[in-house]
Amino acid sequence: MPLFFLIPLCTALATGYLFKKSTDEIAYLAGVFAAISLIFTLVLAPWQIQFGLLIIFLKLLALHF
C-alpha cells in the first residue's frame, strides 16, 4: 500500500499545531491550509482507509441520531 498520502496529513497536522499556538492572521491561513490538506489526504488515501473512515463516520452518525 503506498503511503504517499501521509505527506499532506503530516503537513496538515503541523499547520494545525501552528494554528492552535498562534493568534495572528497567519494562523487562520494555516488553519485553512490544514483543512485543505486533510481533504486532499482523504482523496489520496487507499480505499481500505477510506472505507474504514466511512464505517466509523456512519456508526458515529447512527449514535448521534
Side-chain angles (χ1 to χ4, degrees):
M1 176 182 345
L3 297 176
F4 64 88
F5 73 94
L6 292 175
I7 294 170
L9 179 63
C10 293
T11 305
L13 291 175
T15 55
Y17 179 76
L18 176 68
F19 176 71
K20 292 294 263 187
K21 293 292 180 183
S22 182
T23 58
D24 298 339
E25 287 289 321
I26 194 70
Y28 294 114
L29 291 174
V32 169
F33 184 74
I36 292 170
S37 293
L38 285 174
I39 292 170
F40 188 61
T41 298
L42 289 176
V43 169
L44 290 178
W47 69 270
Q48 296 94 342
I49 294 174
Q50 290 177 352
F51 185 70
L53 289 174
L54 178 65
I55 297 298
I56 291 170
F57 178 74
L58 290 176
K59 285 188 179 190
L60 288 175
L61 193 60
L63 288 175
H64 184 41
F65 291 110

